[in-house]
Amino acid sequence: MGEVDGNTVLAQALKKQGIDYVFGIIGYPVIELSMALQMADIHYIGMRNEQAACYAAQAMGYMTGTPGAVLVVSGPGLLHTFGGLGNAQINCWPVLVIGGSAPQDHEGIGGFQECNQVELARPYCKYSARPPSIPLIPQHVEKAVRLTKTGRPGAAYLDFPANILSGRVSEDKIPEQYGPTDIPLIYPDPKQIKLAVDLLTHAKNPLVIVGKGAAYSRAEREVIDLVTSANLPFLATPMGKGVVPDTSPKSVASARSTALQQADVILLLGARLNWILHFGRPPRFSPNVKVIQIDISAEELHNSIKAEVAIQSDIRTAVGSIVDGLKRRSFTFNNENEWWKLLRKKCQDNQKTVAAMAADISVPLNYYAVFKHLYNVLPEDCIIVSEGANTMDIGRSMLLNEKPRHRLDAGTFGTMGVGPGFAIAAALYCRHFEPNKRVICVEGDSAFGFSGMEIETMVRYKLPIIIVVVNNSGIYTGMNADVLEELRGSVDIGDIAKVSPPGCLTSVTRYDKMLGLFGKSGYFVNTVSELEKAVNDALKINDQPTIINVIIDLTADRKPQSFHWLTESKL
């Protein structure tokens, strides 16, 4: 038998577990590992920042169900992934981070980039470990990949000292590794299903909330059957959008506040009662609401409030059982009762308000005008990536999704900087699985600044991502260039930092010109007609990214809200 090195064993173990994409930045001690990955028929995507690499890998994990992997160097390289690790763990997306580390004989004496990486990563992961020898690498890879996918998905970290990667052992020392195991399908307790059906059939004001868990579990067929056959109103969380098409007449997204406040029975499908859903508590919810909670994680049940019915189950199997129970009773919620009439009226009233704001196409544009006319020219089945403050929040309501897993945004952790990484993963996914689909990355100008240099990655891999920067020259709001310069000019240059408004960025920054770095051109947009032309032109390009820089009103804001976006503690 010949000898094999740790790099080859690790690369082959990853391939055996179904890992097709690794995102990262190479350097000592993982340069040879990156080459071994390619020799193992794995796509290696070189990124410009480790955070963005981790964002891309987890988005690939969410869309495919198999974790993307991240390859980083020791010390700072791993530390830079922690934003991504935390986002994946809290967002419940599968990802595997592989970190090189200092040789074991250098530990404790000041080795290059020496860092206690396994323990530092542990709080952000489901599993964090260092294989102690080359023959044990496959065992740890199998376990790490399996844990990222089973139960509540999340992150794993594996640490590889330089001497393990470069070391060599006889091939007969490497145990045969079994391939990826199937994810166990959890079925609901029939008694709890009966209780859920009883509650729904007796509800006066029922509401279904569709969460990201329903999208991840591929439960769209069952959830659509539920809301259509039983005629139930539904709301979707940001990444639950598209499980049932946003354009469905059963969607009451435009009456969200009323639906949450006045529902008497809520069926919660793979969504958590966290800040996004105002913790399930008054005043955003009725104090007497009865919640039917379905979640893959038993630990999530009864969190924040006590559920009337709590079901640990895969969303697909549970919803299918509920649909069967409702159909056996021939249950269909009356379309002409007071609840449906109220929700339809609230939807119509709110839609009129939004339509009026979108109809104002005076320059500088507002968010609603931008999103209305952007949506009008987008392909129906495109994947929409979005981040920012108002850019993301308003975009959620106006950039509609017809299919599940077609919206990627800051999610549960509210992480900024995710957009370009998510978009890269989405474009690679489309190239691999759905080559005619397009990716639209809608960015606030502040959010774009976090990971904007990933446009070089997009150019290098010829990814036709359309980046729309909604540019108000600031975080939340900007300031007129003349006023800002007058303010800065009123003090000595050393005191500019004392007077510059903390949320202001450089006025009307020409992000579109960043493509000039690669001999290409972007679009500078001030009007609706310019926006529509830019998007239509960009959709004809299939081998490079496009940047569309849309200048909007410096003080543009969302429509008046009934409540503050974040439910505040009254304690």
Side-chain angles (χ1 to χ4, degrees):
M1 298 291 289
E3 286 190 330
V4 63
D5 66 2
N7 289 310
T8 301
V9 172
L10 175 53
Q12 293 176 347
L14 291 168
K15 186 64 178 179
K16 186 74 172 178
Q17 294 306 318
I19 303 294
D20 282 325
Y21 282 92
V22 176
F23 303 82
I25 298 178
I26 65 167
Y28 177 81
V30 297
I31 298 171
E32 291 79 8
L33 176 55
S34 66
M35 300 175 191
L37 293 170
Q38 292 178 318
M39 292 179 67
D41 197 30
I42 292 172
H43 301 275
Y44 176 78
I45 308 298
M47 304 285 284
R48 300 304 302 265
N49 181 282
E50 290 92 352
Q51 274 193 36
C54 198
Y55 297 143
Q58 64 194 256
M60 185 65 77
Y62 172 64
M63 288 184 288
T64 65
T66 297
V70 186
L71 179 63
V72 296
V73 302
S74 49
L78 174 67
L79 293 176
H80 287 171
T81 70
F82 282 4
L85 272 174
N87 190 71
Q89 184 71 357
I90 291 173
N91 221 27
C92 307
W93 286 4
V95 70
L96 171 63
V97 174
I98 298 161
S101 59
Q104 288 168 302
D105 60 328
H106 290 184
E107 291 180 346
I109 57 173
F112 174 66
Q113 294 183 335
E114 180 186 350
C115 189
N116 191 3
Q117 297 176 184
V118 174
E119 292 307 313
L120 285 170
R122 198 178 303 280
Y124 309 100
C125 297
K126 295 178 71 177
Y127 182 66
S128 181
R130 170 191 284 184
S133 66
I134 294 175
L136 288 173
I137 288 175
Q139 172 187 317
H140 283 272
V141 170
E142 186 281 328
K143 182 175 183 179
V145 172
R146 173 164 44 86
L147 292 184
T148 66
K149 299 188 295 184
T150 54
R152 173 171 282 174
Y157 172 67
L158 290 178
D159 190 71
F160 293 93
N163 58 294
I164 293 288
L165 291 174
S166 62
R168 304 182 69 84
V169 298
S170 175
E171 287 183 308
D172 63 359
K173 298 291 186 184
I174 308 300
E176 185 175 349
Q177 184 181 12
Y178 47 85
T181 54
D182 292 333
I183 300 173
L185 196 60
I186 300 177
Y187 284 81
D189 180 346
K191 294 178 182 177
Q192 298 300 312
I193 292 295
K194 183 180 182 302
L195 291 174
V197 170
D198 287 342
L199 268 182
L200 287 170
T201 55
H202 290 94
K204 293 182 178 179
N205 295 2
L207 178 67
V208 178
I209 298 180
V210 182
K212 179 173 64 232
Y216 185 79
S217 70
R218 273 65 177 170
E220 49 267 25
R221 182 176 65 84
E222 290 78 7
V223 178
I224 290 172
D225 194 8
L226 170 69
V227 300
T228 54
S229 64
N231 192 41
L232 295 172
F234 80 92
L235 292 173
T237 63
M239 275 179 282
K241 285 164 58 67
V243 172
V244 183
D246 284 344
T247 53
S248 166
K250 312 302 178 190
S251 172
V252 292
S254 297
R256 186 179 188 271
S257 292
T258 299
L260 294 179
Q261 275 189 300
Q262 298 191 33
D264 63 348
V265 173
I266 289 177
L267 176 58
L268 194 64
L269 304 178
R272 287 169 281 180
L273 292 174
N274 56 19
W275 67 273
I276 290 177
L277 286 175
H278 318 291
F279 314 107
R281 299 175 183 176
R284 302 303 291 264
F285 287 72
S286 166
N288 300 314
V289 66
K290 295 179 179 179
V291 174
I292 304 164
Q293 187 179 16
I294 305 176
D295 202 280
I296 195 70
S297 171
E299 289 79 6
E300 185 61 35
L301 302 176
H302 305 295
N303 197 26
S304 184
I305 67 167
K306 185 181 185 306
E308 189 75 15
V309 180
I311 304 172
Q312 182 191 13
S313 175
D314 181 88
I315 299 298
R316 228 169 357 123
T317 59
V319 174
S321 297
I322 289 174
V323 170
D324 289 343
L326 293 173
K327 286 182 177 179
R328 280 195 298 270
R329 300 188 190 189
S330 300
F331 174 77
T332 301
F333 193 67
N334 187 341
N335 198 51
E336 296 303 320
N337 68 10
E338 294 305 313
W339 180 229
W340 261 121
K341 288 180 180 178
L342 173 64
L343 293 175
R344 281 195 291 265
K345 183 178 185 307
K346 287 291 183 180
C347 283
Q348 291 166 1
D349 291 346
N350 287 332
Q351 287 165 1
K352 286 178 182 177
T353 301
V354 170
M357 297 177 76
D360 178 7
I361 59 172
S362 58
V363 177
L365 297 169
N366 66 70
Y367 286 104
Y368 295 88
V370 169
F371 290 137
K372 177 184 184 297
H373 291 88
L374 174 60
Y375 178 71
N376 286 345
V377 292
L378 290 182
E380 185 179 275
D381 64 345
C382 65
I383 294 177
I384 298 173
V385 179
S386 185
E387 63 171 329
N390 288 338
T391 297
M392 181 177 65
D393 293 341
I394 299 171
R396 283 171 175 166
S397 64
M398 299 199 68
L399 300 176
L400 306 183
N401 294 99
E402 296 300 294
K403 294 185 178 181
R405 299 171 298 281
H406 279 52
R407 181 179 177 86
L408 308 172
D409 71 19
T412 309
F413 210 25
T415 308
M416 292 294 104
V418 297
F422 283 2
I424 288 168
L428 290 167
Y429 170 86
C430 292
R431 178 176 288 175
H432 194 115
F433 297 103
E434 299 186 69
N436 295 321
K437 194 178 295 293
R438 296 303 298 264
V439 176
I440 316 298
C441 183
V442 185
E443 299 273 303
D445 53 327
S446 172
F448 182 62
F450 283 79
S451 304
M453 276 312 301
E454 295 300 336
I455 61 168
E456 189 275 330
T457 308
M458 300 174 192
V459 170
R460 191 167 8 114
Y461 292 102
K462 298 186 176 182
L463 300 175
I465 297 164
I466 300 174
I467 301 171
V468 180
V469 180
V470 184
N471 187 350
N472 69 348
S473 302
I475 303 173
Y476 301 113
T477 59
M479 181 176 284
N480 180 277
D482 293 338
V483 176
L484 190 58
E485 281 308 306
E486 183 180 348
L487 180 64
R488 290 169 173 169
S490 66
V491 297
D492 292 336
I493 193 168
D495 290 328
I496 288 178
K498 295 179 181 179
V499 299
S500 291
C504 284
L505 303 175
T506 304
S507 297
V508 193
T509 299
R510 293 297 301 270
Y511 298 106
D512 51 293
K513 291 193 173 184
M514 290 176 71
L515 285 177
L517 298 169
F518 315 102
K520 306 177 188 301
S521 299
Y523 294 86
F524 183 66
V525 168
N526 283 286
T527 68
V528 161
S529 60
E530 290 172 348
L531 173 62
E532 292 174 339
K533 181 181 184 305
V535 175
N536 284 321
D537 287 351
L539 288 170
K540 299 173 186 174
I541 300 171
N542 58 17
D543 63 351
Q544 69 178 55
T546 305
I547 298 177
I548 302 172
N549 186 18
V550 185
I551 306 304
I552 67 167
D553 192 326
L554 300 173
T555 59
D557 205 348
R558 67 184 76 185
K559 73 180 182 66
Q561 304 293 301
S562 301
F563 292 91
H564 187 269
W565 67 274
L566 182 62
T567 300
E568 302 293 342
S569 171
K570 300 298 187 292
L571 299 180

